[in-house]
Amino acid sequence: MNIREEMENRELAILSPYASHSAQSKGRDRYEEECDIRTVYQRDRDRILHSKSFRRMKDKTQVFLSPQGDHYRNRLTHTLEVSQTARTIAKALRLNEDLVEAIALGHDLGHTPFGHAGERALDRVCPLGFAHYKQSLRVVERLEKNGAGLNLTLEVRDGIRNHRTSGTPHTLEGQIVRLCDKISYIHHDMDDAQRAGIITEDNIPITLRMLLGYTTRERLNTFVHDIVENSRGQSEIRMSPAIQEGLMDLRSIMFQDVYLYPAAKEEEEKAEQLVESLYGYYIQHPEKMSEEYKRLLKSGEEKKRVVCDYISGMTDQYAMEKFREIFIPKGWSVY
């Protein structure tokens, strides 16, 4: 018996009967020899962690575009916070931490530069539509490894596909990530907004603070404990009605006071115009894209989709650099 088999047996003995056991995975689209050390979900986590799209998230907007300060979240730190919160809950519920981690690390791989502003722009200009959760799945199934994809297990891909609010993950581990994604962005976006001076604790009604906590740290603790207490021994992940309603009230405050903040919206409009301009240019000049995307075109992929692939994979800085290169006249040097 090798190390992987020992770990699979430990899972069967220790994890909840509602957990997704590695030995019972529905597998991959393409057959592979099993690793003698790592379980299937550990291998998926490692593949995502070592992917190019994962590294690019460090230079993609979470909420604040090009924030002046070292402590504001980006798409990568958001992903890590989702992963850590989800793992805490999974451990408490005796669910599969490796599966939770793989889904969490992969859930935002398809996000555009400039956050949801870039996503809205691509969805508006591309006739095929664009949604980051679909793009995250496309990244792991098609775009990574020069068009071969990462060949992840069905359970991880299901969790990535269904991490959005309206999604219905088929595993409890996927349900945890779906909920922790919302908790994490509300929690850390509020923390960043307070740091930026956009809101203070006084923006939160006292009744809501009495229910959830008086600081962002206390509120995160409330959400985690509530999920654990209401999901133990259950076949679904859930929150109590009162705390779930409180979470939605916090989300409403964030939309009213932060996400729709006039100064932020003005910058987002600029970002959307930039992304739309890049899309129009590369539709007209697909030969200007990187080699890996030109290979996709040669393989028969539709041009509109490949242009979205190229732009959505850009970091904020790279997108701005390309915009300057294409649309801003260069100064002439006379010798």
Side-chain angles (χ1 to χ4, degrees), residues 168-220:
T168 53
H170 291 81
T171 66
L172 267 65
E173 289 82 0
Q175 292 178 31
I176 289 175
V177 174
R178 174 180 169 273
L179 194 49
C180 286
D181 182 36
K182 182 180 277 78
I183 289 171
S184 293
Y185 77 69
I186 292 172
H187 165 258
H188 61 54
D189 290 354
M190 181 166 284
D191 186 44
D192 280 354
Q194 290 182 6
R195 179 175 291 107
I198 297 173
I199 62 172
T200 69
E201 282 294 316
D202 290 336
N203 289 80
I204 306 171
I206 186 62
T207 52
L208 197 54
R209 281 183 277 167
M210 290 173 63
L211 174 67
L212 301 177
Y214 291 88
T215 65
T216 53
R217 179 179 177 181
E218 288 180 6
R219 289 189 284 272
L220 179 59

Short mmCIF file of all heavy atoms in Angstrom, two decimals, residues 168-220:
data_model
loop_
_atom_site.label_atom_id
_atom_site.label_comp_id
_atom_site.label_asym_id
_atom_site.label_seq_id
_atom_site.Cartn_x
_atom_site.Cartn_y
_atom_site.Cartn_z
N THR A 168 -25.21 25.81 -8.10
CA THR A 168 -25.66 24.70 -7.25
C THR A 168 -24.58 23.62 -7.25
O THR A 168 -24.67 22.64 -7.99
CB THR A 168 -26.98 24.11 -7.76
OG1 THR A 168 -26.85 23.77 -9.16
CG2 THR A 168 -28.12 25.09 -7.60
N PRO A 169 -23.54 23.80 -6.43
CA PRO A 169 -22.48 22.80 -6.37
C PRO A 169 -23.02 21.44 -5.93
O PRO A 169 -23.91 21.35 -5.09
CB PRO A 169 -21.52 23.37 -5.31
CG PRO A 169 -21.85 24.83 -5.23
CD PRO A 169 -23.30 24.93 -5.52
N HIS A 170 -22.45 20.39 -6.51
CA HIS A 170 -22.93 19.04 -6.21
C HIS A 170 -22.20 18.41 -5.03
O HIS A 170 -22.54 17.29 -4.63
CB HIS A 170 -22.79 18.16 -7.45
CG HIS A 170 -23.74 18.53 -8.54
ND1 HIS A 170 -23.50 19.57 -9.41
CD2 HIS A 170 -24.96 18.02 -8.89
CE1 HIS A 170 -24.51 19.67 -10.26
NE2 HIS A 170 -25.41 18.76 -9.96
N THR A 171 -21.19 19.08 -4.50
CA THR A 171 -20.50 18.57 -3.31
C THR A 171 -20.63 19.59 -2.19
O THR A 171 -20.80 20.80 -2.43
CB THR A 171 -19.00 18.34 -3.59
OG1 THR A 171 -18.37 19.62 -3.85
CG2 THR A 171 -18.80 17.41 -4.78
N LEU A 172 -20.54 19.12 -0.95
CA LEU A 172 -20.58 20.05 0.18
C LEU A 172 -19.35 20.95 0.17
O LEU A 172 -19.42 22.11 0.59
CB LEU A 172 -20.66 19.28 1.51
CG LEU A 172 -22.08 19.05 2.04
CD1 LEU A 172 -22.88 18.15 1.09
CD2 LEU A 172 -22.04 18.44 3.44
N GLU A 173 -18.25 20.41 -0.31
CA GLU A 173 -17.03 21.22 -0.41
C GLU A 173 -17.24 22.40 -1.37
O GLU A 173 -16.82 23.52 -1.09
CB GLU A 173 -15.86 20.35 -0.87
CG GLU A 173 -15.37 19.35 0.17
CD GLU A 173 -16.20 18.06 0.24
OE1 GLU A 173 -17.18 17.93 -0.53
OE2 GLU A 173 -15.87 17.19 1.05
N GLY A 174 -17.91 22.15 -2.49
CA GLY A 174 -18.23 23.22 -3.41
C GLY A 174 -19.19 24.23 -2.80
O GLY A 174 -19.08 25.44 -3.04
N GLN A 175 -20.12 23.75 -2.00
CA GLN A 175 -21.07 24.64 -1.33
C GLN A 175 -20.35 25.56 -0.34
O GLN A 175 -20.70 26.74 -0.20
CB GLN A 175 -22.14 23.83 -0.60
CG GLN A 175 -23.10 23.09 -1.53
CD GLN A 175 -24.11 22.25 -0.77
OE1 GLN A 175 -24.51 22.59 0.34
NE2 GLN A 175 -24.51 21.13 -1.36
N ILE A 176 -19.33 25.03 0.33
CA ILE A 176 -18.55 25.84 1.26
C ILE A 176 -17.85 26.97 0.53
O ILE A 176 -17.89 28.13 0.95
CB ILE A 176 -17.53 24.97 2.02
CG1 ILE A 176 -18.23 24.06 3.02
CG2 ILE A 176 -16.50 25.85 2.75
CD1 ILE A 176 -17.29 23.10 3.72
N VAL A 177 -17.19 26.66 -0.59
CA VAL A 177 -16.47 27.68 -1.34
C VAL A 177 -17.44 28.73 -1.86
O VAL A 177 -17.15 29.94 -1.81
CB VAL A 177 -15.67 27.05 -2.50
CG1 VAL A 177 -15.04 28.14 -3.37
CG2 VAL A 177 -14.58 26.12 -1.95
N ARG A 178 -18.57 28.30 -2.36
CA ARG A 178 -19.57 29.24 -2.88
C ARG A 178 -19.97 30.26 -1.81
O ARG A 178 -20.05 31.46 -2.07
CB ARG A 178 -20.79 28.47 -3.36
CG ARG A 178 -21.98 29.32 -3.79
CD ARG A 178 -23.13 28.43 -4.23
NE ARG A 178 -24.35 29.18 -4.40
CZ ARG A 178 -25.23 29.43 -3.42
NH1 ARG A 178 -24.98 28.98 -2.19
NH2 ARG A 178 -26.33 30.11 -3.65
N LEU A 179 -20.19 29.79 -0.59
CA LEU A 179 -20.60 30.67 0.50
C LEU A 179 -19.42 31.52 0.99
O LEU A 179 -19.57 32.72 1.26
CB LEU A 179 -21.17 29.83 1.64
CG LEU A 179 -21.96 30.54 2.74
CD1 LEU A 179 -23.01 31.48 2.16
CD2 LEU A 179 -22.62 29.51 3.65
N CYS A 180 -18.24 30.91 1.08
CA CYS A 180 -17.07 31.64 1.58
C CYS A 180 -16.61 32.71 0.61
O CYS A 180 -16.01 33.71 1.02
CB CYS A 180 -15.93 30.67 1.88
SG CYS A 180 -16.20 29.70 3.38
N ASP A 181 -16.86 32.53 -0.67
CA ASP A 181 -16.54 33.56 -1.65
C ASP A 181 -17.29 34.84 -1.32
O ASP A 181 -16.72 35.93 -1.27
CB ASP A 181 -16.88 33.07 -3.05
CG ASP A 181 -16.53 34.07 -4.14
OD1 ASP A 181 -15.50 34.76 -4.00
OD2 ASP A 181 -17.28 34.17 -5.13
N LYS A 182 -18.58 34.70 -1.07
CA LYS A 182 -19.41 35.87 -0.74
C LYS A 182 -18.98 36.47 0.60
O LYS A 182 -18.82 37.69 0.73
CB LYS A 182 -20.88 35.47 -0.71
CG LYS A 182 -21.82 36.64 -0.43
CD LYS A 182 -23.26 36.20 -0.40
CE LYS A 182 -23.88 36.11 -1.78
NZ LYS A 182 -23.53 34.92 -2.56
N ILE A 183 -18.81 35.62 1.60
CA ILE A 183 -18.40 36.10 2.93
C ILE A 183 -17.08 36.85 2.84
O ILE A 183 -16.91 37.93 3.40
CB ILE A 183 -18.29 34.93 3.91
CG1 ILE A 183 -19.68 34.39 4.25
CG2 ILE A 183 -17.55 35.34 5.19
CD1 ILE A 183 -19.65 33.09 5.03
N SER A 184 -16.14 36.27 2.09
CA SER A 184 -14.80 36.86 2.02
C SER A 184 -14.81 38.21 1.33
O SER A 184 -14.20 39.17 1.81
CB SER A 184 -13.84 35.90 1.29
OG SER A 184 -13.64 34.72 2.05
N TYR A 185 -15.51 38.32 0.19
CA TYR A 185 -15.44 39.62 -0.49
C TYR A 185 -16.18 40.69 0.28
O TYR A 185 -15.74 41.85 0.32
CB TYR A 185 -15.85 39.53 -1.96
CG TYR A 185 -17.32 39.44 -2.31
CD1 TYR A 185 -18.18 40.51 -2.11
CD2 TYR A 185 -17.84 38.29 -2.91
CE1 TYR A 185 -19.52 40.43 -2.46
CE2 TYR A 185 -19.18 38.21 -3.27
CZ TYR A 185 -20.01 39.29 -3.05
OH TYR A 185 -21.34 39.20 -3.40
N ILE A 186 -17.28 40.35 0.94
CA ILE A 186 -17.97 41.35 1.75
C ILE A 186 -17.09 41.77 2.92
O ILE A 186 -16.94 42.96 3.22
CB ILE A 186 -19.33 40.81 2.25
CG1 ILE A 186 -20.28 40.63 1.08
CG2 ILE A 186 -19.93 41.75 3.31
CD1 ILE A 186 -21.57 39.92 1.44
N HIS A 187 -16.46 40.78 3.55
CA HIS A 187 -15.61 41.04 4.71
C HIS A 187 -14.41 41.90 4.33
O HIS A 187 -14.17 42.97 4.90
CB HIS A 187 -15.14 39.71 5.31
CG HIS A 187 -14.00 39.85 6.27
ND1 HIS A 187 -12.70 39.55 5.90
CD2 HIS A 187 -13.93 40.27 7.55
CE1 HIS A 187 -11.90 39.77 6.93
NE2 HIS A 187 -12.62 40.21 7.93
N HIS A 188 -13.63 41.46 3.33
CA HIS A 188 -12.39 42.19 3.07
C HIS A 188 -12.62 43.47 2.26
O HIS A 188 -11.85 44.42 2.38
CB HIS A 188 -11.32 41.31 2.44
CG HIS A 188 -11.64 40.68 1.12
ND1 HIS A 188 -12.05 41.40 0.02
CD2 HIS A 188 -11.57 39.39 0.71
CE1 HIS A 188 -12.21 40.59 -1.00
NE2 HIS A 188 -11.94 39.36 -0.62
N ASP A 189 -13.68 43.51 1.45
CA ASP A 189 -13.97 44.76 0.75
C ASP A 189 -14.39 45.85 1.74
O ASP A 189 -14.04 47.03 1.57
CB ASP A 189 -15.08 44.56 -0.28
CG ASP A 189 -14.62 43.71 -1.47
OD1 ASP A 189 -13.42 43.39 -1.53
OD2 ASP A 189 -15.48 43.35 -2.30
N MET A 190 -15.11 45.45 2.79
CA MET A 190 -15.48 46.42 3.82
C MET A 190 -14.24 46.89 4.57
O MET A 190 -14.09 48.09 4.88
CB MET A 190 -16.50 45.80 4.78
CG MET A 190 -16.97 46.76 5.87
SD MET A 190 -18.43 46.16 6.73
CE MET A 190 -19.71 46.49 5.51
N ASP A 191 -13.33 45.97 4.84
CA ASP A 191 -12.08 46.32 5.52
C ASP A 191 -11.28 47.30 4.67
O ASP A 191 -10.76 48.32 5.17
CB ASP A 191 -11.28 45.04 5.78
CG ASP A 191 -10.03 45.30 6.62
OD1 ASP A 191 -10.12 46.04 7.61
OD2 ASP A 191 -8.97 44.73 6.28
N ASP A 192 -11.17 47.03 3.36
CA ASP A 192 -10.44 47.92 2.46
C ASP A 192 -11.13 49.27 2.35
O ASP A 192 -10.47 50.32 2.27
CB ASP A 192 -10.32 47.29 1.08
CG ASP A 192 -9.21 46.25 1.00
OD1 ASP A 192 -8.46 46.09 1.99
OD2 ASP A 192 -9.11 45.57 -0.04
N ALA A 193 -12.46 49.27 2.31
CA ALA A 193 -13.21 50.53 2.20
C ALA A 193 -13.01 51.40 3.43
O ALA A 193 -12.92 52.63 3.34
CB ALA A 193 -14.69 50.24 1.98
N GLN A 194 -12.93 50.77 4.60
CA GLN A 194 -12.66 51.52 5.82
C GLN A 194 -11.24 52.08 5.79
O GLN A 194 -11.00 53.22 6.19
CB GLN A 194 -12.88 50.64 7.04
CG GLN A 194 -14.33 50.29 7.29
CD GLN A 194 -14.54 49.46 8.55
OE1 GLN A 194 -13.61 49.22 9.31
NE2 GLN A 194 -15.75 49.00 8.76
N ARG A 195 -10.31 51.28 5.29
CA ARG A 195 -8.92 51.74 5.19
C ARG A 195 -8.82 52.94 4.24
O ARG A 195 -8.02 53.85 4.45
CB ARG A 195 -8.03 50.60 4.70
CG ARG A 195 -6.55 50.97 4.55
CD ARG A 195 -5.70 49.77 4.18
NE ARG A 195 -5.63 48.84 5.31
CZ ARG A 195 -6.25 47.67 5.35
NH1 ARG A 195 -7.00 47.28 4.33
NH2 ARG A 195 -6.14 46.88 6.40
N ALA A 196 -9.64 52.92 3.19
CA ALA A 196 -9.62 54.00 2.20
C ALA A 196 -10.40 55.22 2.67
O ALA A 196 -10.38 56.27 2.00
CB ALA A 196 -10.20 53.51 0.88
N GLY A 197 -11.10 55.12 3.79
CA GLY A 197 -11.87 56.25 4.30
C GLY A 197 -13.20 56.46 3.61
O GLY A 197 -13.82 57.52 3.77
N ILE A 198 -13.67 55.45 2.87
CA ILE A 198 -14.94 55.58 2.16
C ILE A 198 -16.10 55.38 3.13
O ILE A 198 -17.13 56.06 3.03
CB ILE A 198 -15.01 54.57 1.00
CG1 ILE A 198 -13.93 54.89 -0.03
CG2 ILE A 198 -16.40 54.57 0.35
CD1 ILE A 198 -13.81 53.85 -1.13
N ILE A 199 -15.96 54.44 4.04
CA ILE A 199 -16.99 54.19 5.06
C ILE A 199 -16.31 54.04 6.41
O ILE A 199 -15.08 53.88 6.50
CB ILE A 199 -17.82 52.93 4.76
CG1 ILE A 199 -16.93 51.67 4.76
CG2 ILE A 199 -18.58 53.06 3.46
CD1 ILE A 199 -17.70 50.38 4.65
N THR A 200 -17.11 54.07 7.46
CA THR A 200 -16.67 53.76 8.81
C THR A 200 -17.66 52.77 9.41
O THR A 200 -18.68 52.43 8.80
CB THR A 200 -16.61 55.02 9.69
OG1 THR A 200 -17.97 55.48 9.92
CG2 THR A 200 -15.81 56.13 9.02
N GLU A 201 -17.37 52.33 10.60
CA GLU A 201 -18.30 51.42 11.28
C GLU A 201 -19.67 52.06 11.48
O GLU A 201 -20.68 51.36 11.58
CB GLU A 201 -17.72 50.99 12.63
CG GLU A 201 -16.66 49.91 12.55
CD GLU A 201 -17.21 48.58 12.04
OE1 GLU A 201 -18.29 48.18 12.51
OE2 GLU A 201 -16.56 47.96 11.19
N ASP A 202 -19.71 53.38 11.51
CA ASP A 202 -20.99 54.07 11.70
C ASP A 202 -21.94 53.89 10.52
O ASP A 202 -23.14 54.15 10.64
CB ASP A 202 -20.76 55.57 11.95
CG ASP A 202 -20.12 55.83 13.30
OD1 ASP A 202 -20.27 54.97 14.19
OD2 ASP A 202 -19.45 56.87 13.46
N ASN A 203 -21.40 53.47 9.37
CA ASN A 203 -22.26 53.20 8.22
C ASN A 203 -23.10 51.94 8.41
O ASN A 203 -24.06 51.71 7.69
CB ASN A 203 -21.43 53.05 6.95
CG ASN A 203 -20.83 54.36 6.48
OD1 ASN A 203 -19.82 54.82 7.01
ND2 ASN A 203 -21.47 54.99 5.50
N ILE A 204 -22.70 51.11 9.37
CA ILE A 204 -23.41 49.87 9.65
C ILE A 204 -24.40 50.11 10.79
O ILE A 204 -24.00 50.56 11.87
CB ILE A 204 -22.43 48.74 10.04
CG1 ILE A 204 -21.36 48.58 8.96
CG2 ILE A 204 -23.16 47.43 10.27
CD1 ILE A 204 -20.24 47.65 9.35
N PRO A 205 -25.68 49.86 10.59
CA PRO A 205 -26.66 50.08 11.66
C PRO A 205 -26.28 49.34 12.94
O PRO A 205 -25.74 48.23 12.89
CB PRO A 205 -27.96 49.52 11.06
CG PRO A 205 -27.75 49.60 9.58
CD PRO A 205 -26.30 49.35 9.36
N ILE A 206 -26.55 49.95 14.06
CA ILE A 206 -26.15 49.38 15.35
C ILE A 206 -26.81 48.01 15.57
O ILE A 206 -26.20 47.11 16.15
CB ILE A 206 -26.50 50.35 16.51
CG1 ILE A 206 -25.95 49.80 17.84
CG2 ILE A 206 -28.00 50.60 16.58
CD1 ILE A 206 -24.47 49.65 17.88
N THR A 207 -28.04 47.85 15.08
CA THR A 207 -28.70 46.55 15.25
C THR A 207 -27.96 45.45 14.49
O THR A 207 -27.89 44.31 14.96
CB THR A 207 -30.16 46.63 14.73
OG1 THR A 207 -30.17 47.15 13.40
CG2 THR A 207 -31.01 47.52 15.63
N LEU A 208 -27.39 45.80 13.34
CA LEU A 208 -26.63 44.83 12.56
C LEU A 208 -25.31 44.51 13.23
O LEU A 208 -24.86 43.35 13.25
CB LEU A 208 -26.41 45.36 11.15
CG LEU A 208 -26.00 44.37 10.07
CD1 LEU A 208 -26.99 43.21 9.98
CD2 LEU A 208 -25.90 45.07 8.71
N ARG A 209 -24.69 45.53 13.83
CA ARG A 209 -23.44 45.28 14.56
C ARG A 209 -23.68 44.44 15.81
O ARG A 209 -22.86 43.60 16.17
CB ARG A 209 -22.78 46.61 14.93
CG ARG A 209 -22.03 47.25 13.76
CD ARG A 209 -21.33 48.52 14.17
NE ARG A 209 -22.23 49.66 14.15
CZ ARG A 209 -21.95 50.84 14.68
NH1 ARG A 209 -20.81 51.03 15.31
NH2 ARG A 209 -22.83 51.84 14.59
N MET A 210 -24.79 44.66 16.46
CA MET A 210 -25.12 43.85 17.64
C MET A 210 -25.31 42.38 17.26
O MET A 210 -24.96 41.47 18.01
CB MET A 210 -26.39 44.39 18.30
CG MET A 210 -26.21 45.74 18.98
SD MET A 210 -27.77 46.44 19.58
CE MET A 210 -28.25 45.20 20.80
N LEU A 211 -25.86 42.15 16.06
CA LEU A 211 -26.10 40.78 15.60
C LEU A 211 -24.82 40.10 15.13
O LEU A 211 -24.55 38.94 15.50
CB LEU A 211 -27.11 40.80 14.45
CG LEU A 211 -27.38 39.46 13.74
CD1 LEU A 211 -28.08 38.48 14.69
CD2 LEU A 211 -28.20 39.69 12.48
N LEU A 212 -24.01 40.82 14.35
CA LEU A 212 -22.88 40.19 13.66
C LEU A 212 -21.52 40.46 14.29
O LEU A 212 -20.59 39.66 14.13
CB LEU A 212 -22.84 40.66 12.19
CG LEU A 212 -24.09 40.37 11.35
CD1 LEU A 212 -23.92 40.96 9.96
CD2 LEU A 212 -24.33 38.85 11.26
N GLY A 213 -21.38 41.58 14.97
CA GLY A 213 -20.10 41.94 15.54
C GLY A 213 -19.75 43.38 15.24
O GLY A 213 -20.26 43.98 14.29
N TYR A 214 -18.85 43.94 16.05
CA TYR A 214 -18.54 45.36 15.97
C TYR A 214 -17.30 45.68 15.13
O TYR A 214 -16.96 46.85 14.97
CB TYR A 214 -18.38 45.94 17.38
CG TYR A 214 -19.70 45.98 18.13
CD1 TYR A 214 -20.13 44.89 18.88
CD2 TYR A 214 -20.51 47.11 18.07
CE1 TYR A 214 -21.34 44.92 19.55
CE2 TYR A 214 -21.73 47.16 18.74
CZ TYR A 214 -22.14 46.05 19.48
OH TYR A 214 -23.34 46.08 20.14
N THR A 215 -16.64 44.65 14.62
CA THR A 215 -15.49 44.84 13.73
C THR A 215 -15.57 43.82 12.61
O THR A 215 -16.31 42.84 12.69
CB THR A 215 -14.16 44.64 14.48
OG1 THR A 215 -14.06 43.28 14.91
CG2 THR A 215 -14.05 45.58 15.69
N THR A 216 -14.78 44.04 11.55
CA THR A 216 -14.77 43.06 10.46
C THR A 216 -14.30 41.70 10.97
O THR A 216 -14.80 40.66 10.53
CB THR A 216 -13.85 43.54 9.32
OG1 THR A 216 -12.56 43.86 9.84
CG2 THR A 216 -14.44 44.77 8.63
N ARG A 217 -13.35 41.71 11.88
CA ARG A 217 -12.85 40.45 12.43
C ARG A 217 -13.94 39.70 13.19
O ARG A 217 -14.11 38.49 13.03
CB ARG A 217 -11.67 40.75 13.36
CG ARG A 217 -11.07 39.52 14.03
CD ARG A 217 -9.90 39.93 14.91
NE ARG A 217 -9.35 38.78 15.61
CZ ARG A 217 -8.33 38.85 16.47
NH1 ARG A 217 -7.76 40.02 16.72
NH2 ARG A 217 -7.89 37.76 17.06
N GLU A 218 -14.69 40.41 14.01
CA GLU A 218 -15.77 39.78 14.77
C GLU A 218 -16.84 39.23 13.83
O GLU A 218 -17.39 38.15 14.06
CB GLU A 218 -16.38 40.77 15.75
CG GLU A 218 -15.50 41.11 16.93
CD GLU A 218 -16.17 42.10 17.88
OE1 GLU A 218 -17.37 42.42 17.66
OE2 GLU A 218 -15.51 42.56 18.83
N ARG A 219 -17.13 39.96 12.77
CA ARG A 219 -18.18 39.51 11.86
C ARG A 219 -17.76 38.25 11.10
O ARG A 219 -18.57 37.33 10.90
CB ARG A 219 -18.56 40.64 10.90
CG ARG A 219 -19.32 41.78 11.60
CD ARG A 219 -19.88 42.79 10.62
NE ARG A 219 -18.86 43.68 10.10
CZ ARG A 219 -18.48 44.81 10.67
NH1 ARG A 219 -19.02 45.20 11.82
NH2 ARG A 219 -17.56 45.58 10.10
N LEU A 220 -16.51 38.18 10.68
CA LEU A 220 -16.03 36.97 10.01
C LEU A 220 -16.14 35.78 10.95
O LEU A 220 -16.57 34.69 10.56
CB LEU A 220 -14.59 37.15 9.54
CG LEU A 220 -13.95 35.95 8.84
CD1 LEU A 220 -14.74 35.55 7.60
CD2 LEU A 220 -12.50 36.25 8.49
#
